[in-house]
Amino acid sequence: MKQIRLVALLCLLPFCAQSNEIYHIRRLSERELTQTYSRLLLDACRHADQFWQDLPTDPQSGCWGSGRSDQMNEGIRAISGMVLASGALLKYSDGLNEAERQHCRERATRAIRYAVSSHITGTQKCTDGKSWGGSWQSAMWTATLTFGARLFWDDPDPELRQGVERVIASEADRFLKLTPPAGRIGDTKAEENGWNMTCLAVAASMFPAHPHAAAWHEKAIEYMMNTLSVPQDALDKTLVDGRPVSEWFVGANLSPDFTLENHNIFHPSYMGCSSYFMTQAEMYYTYAGGPVPQAATHHLLDTWKMFQTIILPSSESAYPQSMDWELHGLSFINLYASLASRHQDTLAARMEDNCLQYERAWQAMCHGDLAVPGSRLGFTRHAICAEQAAYAFLAHKVFGPPAKEITARKAASQLQGVWPHDYSEFIVHRTDSKFVSFSWKNRIMGLLIPIGQGHDGNPNVTYPLTSGLVGSFELTPKKPAAPKTVEHVWNETPNGFETTGSLLLNGGLLKQTIRVTSVGKQTVVYQDRVTALADVSLSRELGVPVGIENDEVTGGKRAVYYQGGRTTFDWKTPRPPLALTSSWANVDGRLGVVMVAGSGLSYQPAPGYDPHTAVCSDVLYGSFSDHPRHFNAGEQVAQRTVLFFIEVTPKTTATLSRSFTIAETSGRQVLRFKLPEGGQREVPLLSATK
């Protein structure tokens, strides 16, 4: 085992060359892509060996992980993911020697036997003494398990094949008398319909001689049509697989603009997984040699068109309403690979290339583990990532070579623009230097992300704080409450957007009026006024915050520059917050901040990894105070105006901090300032009566 692990680490070393940059991203040829997938999956299987357990009750069975029936994202799901990874290697990789092939085949076969025998249709039990199956996610586990087994179908004995067919038939039959659910506001059913559909698609395509195959196929189409469904489908008479869209339609799971909400937020992760379930169905039918239903692409490319507007150059998504899973834990590599290979999408091809190299580098950081640094999910996350990488690898083998990928410059140009999303109530502006968003619904927050070209070696800078830009106040006695939007408007400008709105804070004790203006290529102006609606005592002002990721993924150090100084924050060595003595600051030459009006800049390092998002997030406050104060009803509590400059050096930030003026124009105050790219702009300041 020590020898195997040493070989695995040696395989990883080329991705860890010494340099000032963390990552070394380059364009890979098709052969290099598939070889990298092969090495990644082989190292993933080697890493999984330490989680393998033999079962004394059945020497012919075994499992990775706990093997429990009741652990939704570990148990059988982890087994199915590793079976798929093993099957992909056995079918298509030329990087395994005979001993490795035999080891991989033996483990996968024993795991399949364990899974089919412990299913509710089998005769054995899981390690917790219960059977699995017939549950919320079990159709998804079964689809991946079955496809993984099918990849080396010549190896399992006839009895085991019959067991696999028995299990997939049992899981698919559950849906024959069911109607796909629908849900659009806050709790989509897109991902549930998608994962249940994969079970039906595998059953129909892989077992065409089964008596229920035709019924499974028909039901699979119905679920496909109601995965990325939108309200306008109800009136659509376009024929898909022999019937009008409106006749297939049960209910909408996405909004008319193809945004998706889950967990009561706009949720890119579920948009991604709902989409890649559709591409998995395409893969199953293609692999089986049959025609792919038209329904398998129903709104897939429409959703991708919306989705790509929030995809960052690193291949990860922006999260305009933050994230409640691991920030880097769920890649979209399998979606990109299928869009690039089957649909010949050039942007998806570039995103796949980037995504694979970052994921491989993180695997090196974690010594073969595919769980991202800081993950609390351990083998669960590892197996899920192995499954996704296996589907991506298979896309190249099943669909064929991908499109030639788009250049970074062309990608940046293609994605520039302003996108207001009325249904989830957030607006986005992206240029070749910045991604800026502001959300008025679900989570009221702003997000700034530097995305300038030439930073592939370390792309991650900021973190989607749930209080981003908006900030908060701590009162005495405490009166915590989520902010509530009273009103808001937004409009697109010739070079960005401006949005203004009002919030009630701390249970209605404070009113905050906010204006955010995205100007030109690199600038954002934040301003607000906060008024007491009742007598309040304020203990702390946590104003205009921006999350700064500072952990192993980003190199573990942040250099903060300010007038007359520089301080380095090392994530492994916590230090006290730093009150900055100037009106400007700059983080790593990527983000500059200038306080026009406020309580003072402060940089506060993270105490450690957040267990949910697996990120260490420092916070740069554009206006911070911990001095207790009292305000009477009607008094102004705070007035903040902060300029943000994206992708600028500390020297440029210092220069820009001296360039702004406040002037009177037509009876109103305006803020005039220079832009980093040249020229001057002005924005109206919030009036005192707002």
Side-chain angles (χ1 to χ4, degrees), residues 557-597:
K557 292 183 179 180
R558 290 296 183 190
V560 180
Y561 301 84
Y562 43 91
Q563 187 66 46
R566 165 184 166 171
T567 301
T568 299
F569 292 85
D570 188 325
W571 75 285
K572 292 182 179 179
T573 309
R575 57 178 297 154
L578 176 67
L580 303 178
T581 56
S582 65
S583 64
W584 68 269
N586 183 286
V587 179
D588 279 351
R590 302 295 304 277
L591 178 67
V593 55
V594 175
M595 185 187 68
V596 177

Side-chain angles (χ1 to χ4, degrees), residues 354-524:
N354 289 1
C355 188
L356 176 60
Q357 293 180 73
Y358 287 121
E359 193 163 335
R360 183 67 168 151
W362 296 341
Q363 187 182 29
M365 290 179 185
C366 296
H367 309 288
D369 192 354
L370 286 173
V372 292
S375 173
R376 63 182 174 83
L377 298 178
F379 182 64
T380 297
R381 178 59 69 196
H382 175 80
I384 292 172
C385 288
E387 174 188 323
Q388 292 174 300
Y391 274 121
F393 177 49
L394 289 166
H396 290 255
K397 302 300 182 179
V398 176
F399 297 138
K404 183 178 180 181
E405 62 187 70
I406 197 171
T407 65
R409 187 173 300 280
K410 191 170 183 180
S413 174
Q414 179 176 300
L415 299 176
Q416 290 178 30
V418 175
W419 289 274
H421 296 290
D422 294 329
Y423 298 95
S424 293
E425 296 185 32
F426 68 92
I427 189 168
V428 168
H429 180 210
R430 61 187 298 167
T431 70
D432 58 3
S433 296
K434 70 181 182 183
F435 178 102
V436 182
S437 65
F438 199 85
S439 167
W440 291 104
K441 178 185 173 186
N442 299 323
R443 291 180 178 171
I444 304 167
M445 56 177 283
L447 181 60
L448 310 176
I449 306 176
I451 57 171
Q453 294 178 42
H455 295 288
D456 289 346
N458 195 350
N460 300 294
V461 181
T462 57
Y463 169 81
L465 281 177
T466 56
S467 61
L469 298 188
V470 174
S472 61
F473 293 87
E474 292 184 4
L475 305 185
T476 306
K478 290 187 176 180
K479 182 73 173 178
K484 180 180 179 182
T485 301
V486 177
E487 59 183 357
H488 72 84
V489 296
W490 57 43
N491 62 283
E492 186 174 346
T493 63
N495 56 9
F497 71 76
E498 183 167 273
T499 184
T500 304
S502 296
L503 310 174
L504 295 180
L505 310 179
N506 300 85
L509 297 178
L510 301 173
K511 180 180 180 181
Q512 181 179 23
T513 299
I514 295 172
R515 178 173 293 158
V516 176
T517 311
S518 182
V519 184
K521 292 184 176 182
Q522 297 169 266
T523 304
V524 176

Side-chain angles (χ1 to χ4, degrees), residues 182-245:
R184 184 168 71 84
I185 307 299
D187 183 20
T188 187
K189 302 303 177 186
E191 92 283 10
E192 296 173 36
N193 289 347
W195 74 48
N196 290 331
M197 173 271 295
T198 62
C199 176
L200 291 159
V202 166
S205 61
M206 302 297 170
F207 301 97
H210 193 282
H212 297 175
W216 292 335
H217 177 69
E218 184 82 358
K219 186 59 70 169
I221 292 173
E222 183 182 356
Y223 271 78
M224 291 173 192
M225 294 297 292
N226 288 282
T227 294
L228 302 176
S229 52
V230 291
Q232 51 265 43
D233 288 350
L235 301 176
D236 190 346
K237 300 304 179 183
T238 305
L239 289 180
V240 175
D241 292 307
R243 291 168 57 185
V245 170

Side-chain angles (χ1 to χ4, degrees), residues 637-677:
V637 173
Q639 176 190 356
R640 286 85 63 97
T641 303
V642 180
L643 288 161
F644 292 98
F645 300 107
I646 291 92
E647 302 292 16
V648 298
T649 65
K651 182 178 180 181
T652 299
T653 306
T655 300
L656 292 170
S657 73
R658 299 188 293 270
S659 75
F660 72 84
T661 59
I662 296 175
E664 291 280 347
T665 300
S666 302
R668 63 175 186 172
Q669 286 190 319
V670 297
L671 176 68
R672 291 175 178 160
F673 51 91
K674 290 184 178 178
L675 298 175
E677 65 267 31

